[in-house]
Every structure is written in C-alpha cells, then in structure tokens.
Amino acid sequence: MKYAMLPEQWEESIETLRGAGHELAELSDADFLIYNGDGSDFPLRLPENIKFVQIPSAGVDHLLDVMKETDVIWSNAAGVFDNTVAESTIALLLAQLHAHRYVNDTFSSYEEVQDHKTYLHEDKTVAIIGAGGIGKRLITMLSGFGPRIIAVNRSGNAVPGADETYPISEVDKVWPEADYFVLIAPLTPQTHHMVNKNVFAQMPNHAVVVNVGRGPLISTEDLLAALDSGEIAGAALDVTEPEPLPDDHPLWKDPRVVIAPHIANTRNSVRRHLGAHTAKVAAAFEAGEEIPTRVDPNAGY
C-alpha cells in the first residue's frame, strides 16, 4: 500500500514500512496516512483515497476534535509501548519509595529519609487504574516484587495476574484498599480529575499515586492539598496538569513528589516501533479484517 506521513518524516518508521512492502507517497496518491502532529496542522480536508489514519500514541484525547470532523477510520498505537511504559512506571514508583533525593536536597535530615523510605515487596497492594495492555504488562513486571494487585478496567472481566478486578464503575471500592495507585486510564470526560479531593480522602495516608496516563486524570490543586494535609504520602508523575509545570510550581519543591518530563515512552522508541505496528494495521485492512487498534472517537479511546 501507499502511505503519506505528516507533518514529519520519521526515517525509522519509513524504513520498516519499506521493508514490509509499503511505499511513501504524496497525500493525494496514498492509501493511508500516518499523522504524527498535534492536530493543529492536520489537513483541512482528507482526500477520498485515504482509507485510515494511523497515529503514534495510545491516547487520543489531543486529537478527538479532529477525529470527530472526519469520516475516516483512525488507528492508535495501543499495545506498542506496553513494555516501555510499564518499566518506566516501576522506575517512578521505586524512585518515590526509595527517596532518591536525599539530605541537603529536599529532606532535612537522615532521619526524615529513613521515615520516608518504604519497600514494594513488604505486604503491599498496588491498584492499576486502567488495566489494559500496559497494565497487563505492568502486572507481569511487578510479579517479581510480590505485591497484591488490584486491576480496574472498563468491563470488570478478570485481568490475568491480578488478585482482584473491578469495573471502573466500582472504582470507589478500590481507593481505600491499596497502598500504591497507578493511573493509566485514557483521558475522557468521565476520567477527567477522577483523582480529586474526595478520592484522596479515601486513600490511606501512606498512599503513593503514580500517573503515567494523562495529567488531568489528577486534580493538581487537590493533589497539593492532599500532600500538605498528609492525606497521602507522595506522588510520582510522568504527566502533569499543566504540562509542562511552571518553573516555580510547588510540586517541584515537594520532597514527596518525583517528576519525569513525560518520558515513560520516548520519541526514539515511538519512531522505532510505529512502522511495524502500522504494517500490521495495513495488513489487517487489506485482508478486510477489523483493525485491532481502531479508535472510537465518541468513546474517546
């Protein structure tokens, strides 16, 4: 098949697609489009020859308005970065638990470091909110540490490796039950600020919240209040609201917060893996099969 890639040309992806027999072409002559922009530079009108659009991210919230204005099939990159994001999640959680910023940086004394440090393997429970592909891979990686695992997904169907699974409609049952919470849910109107002051109040005061999904899953204002009041013990954030955080934002100075600059999955990793994923999507389309990563713009994922 022929494809166009806009607005940037990613050589790593192009090389992989060339090896799979696909040809880079102009938009007017392509069968599908790989779009790697932020939505502001999306073509005002797609030609009728474009059968589907592939994007390089699992989350689609930044493109929903554009998607709803087109009649074309959209495919996301769900499943492509399960390993990278799961590994980054563990790194963030361990960094927070092991107090990697020591005396003379953010903690005032060696005793304060001792009080802060905890261990994942010591009879702990991890709740994964949004236990899709990344969550399932995370469960596998966490198994060596031995925590009890609660999974939360849309359906409530049992997730392999989890000790318990709840549907998202019953997530309120989970907040009091875990020590560490990992947020990987898609950002939708229903999940916007799903972790707020009411939720923080339900968590144990030793709880740690890890966000590798989208910044607005957490109310930043309520997170600051929960940290100040001691309702929770800390947070580890790969994504924030706002993003990027202003240089003078109080989260930067809080010793209980670890912040990464939205690198749970890196640009290089995206470019290396997107080509192979797109080739599989194109093969499914050519065979008349359902695209496994087809997006439902109305649902928001």
Side-chain angles (χ1 to χ4, degrees), residues 73 280-292 294:
I73 294 170
K280 292 179 181 178
V281 171
F285 182 85
E286 282 190 294
E289 300 171 357
E290 179 69 21
I291 291 177
R294 182 169 181 170

Side-chain angles (χ1 to χ4, degrees), residues 8-298:
E8 297 183 17
Q9 304 287 297
W10 289 353
E11 289 302 325
E12 300 92 333
S13 303
I14 292 170
E15 182 178 353
T16 301
L17 285 164
R18 184 185 301 118
H22 300 287
E23 178 185 347
L24 184 65
E26 296 296 324
L27 186 64
S28 60
D29 193 37
D31 299 301
F32 64 91
L33 167 65
I34 298 175
Y35 177 69
N36 51 29
D38 62 3
S40 62
D41 48 11
F42 190 78
L44 293 178
R45 188 171 185 176
L46 282 179
E48 292 183 1
N49 49 284
I50 297 297
K51 305 300 190 299
F52 69 88
V53 179
Q54 176 66 52
I55 64 171
S57 62
V60 302
D61 50 281
H62 61 302
L63 293 173
L64 277 179
D65 289 342
V66 172
M67 290 180 175
K68 291 176 181 179
E69 292 175 357
T70 67
D71 294 326
V72 72
I73 294 170
W74 289 75
S75 168
N76 68 6
V80 178
F81 313 115
D82 293 354
N83 286 326
T84 51
V85 178
E87 181 176 329
S88 296
T89 300
I90 291 176
L92 279 168
L93 177 57
L94 292 180
Q96 205 289 331
L97 300 184
H98 289 255
H100 78 307
R101 297 179 295 178
Y102 290 121
V103 181
N104 298 325
D105 184 358
T106 52
F107 288 104
S108 60
S109 69
Y110 181 70
E111 288 70 25
E112 190 175 349
V113 174
Q114 292 271 10
D115 291 339
H116 174 83
K117 188 178 176 82
T118 56
Y119 295 90
L120 180 56
H121 75 276
E122 291 184 336
D123 193 27
K124 302 298 184 184
T125 297
V126 178
I128 301 173
I129 315 300
I134 294 170
K136 292 173 184 176
R137 184 61 182 136
L138 177 59
I139 289 171
T140 301
M141 291 185 177
L142 283 171
S143 63
F145 295 92
R148 173 173 167 259
I149 295 176
I150 300 174
V152 177
N153 58 19
R154 292 195 300 272
S155 66
N157 293 335
V159 175
D163 296 282
E164 297 178 66
T165 304
Y166 290 86
I168 191 68
S169 59
E170 297 180 14
V171 69
D172 283 345
K173 296 180 180 178
V174 177
W175 304 126
E177 298 299 321
D179 305 288
Y180 312 131
F181 299 87
V182 176
L183 306 180
I184 325 179
L187 180 61
T188 67
Q190 291 72 38
T191 62
H192 184 270
H193 287 182
M194 68 180 300
V195 179
N196 52 41
K197 62 181 180 180
N198 294 327
V199 168
F200 287 125
Q202 297 176 61
M203 294 179 178
N205 57 19
H206 60 270
V208 170
V209 178
V210 181
N211 191 2
V212 291
R214 287 290 188 265
L217 294 176
I218 299 176
S219 165
T220 301
E221 180 180 352
D222 292 350
L223 171 61
L224 287 167
L227 289 165
D228 289 342
S229 67
E231 281 187 318
I232 64 169
L237 310 172
D238 184 60
V239 289
T240 59
E241 183 190 41
E243 187 175 302
L245 281 177
D247 291 343
D248 59 351
H249 198 281
L251 281 176
W252 287 117
K253 299 178 181 179
D254 196 306
R256 298 156 297 184
V257 179
V258 175
I259 300 174
H262 203 152
I263 54 169
N265 188 56
T266 64
R267 182 181 306 169
N268 290 338
S269 178
V270 171
R271 294 181 177 187
R272 286 196 305 269
H273 293 95
L274 182 64
H277 172 74
T278 305
K280 292 179 181 178
V281 171
F285 182 85
E286 282 190 294
E289 300 171 357
E290 179 69 21
I291 291 177
T293 48
R294 182 169 181 170
V295 175
D296 180 351
N298 293 320

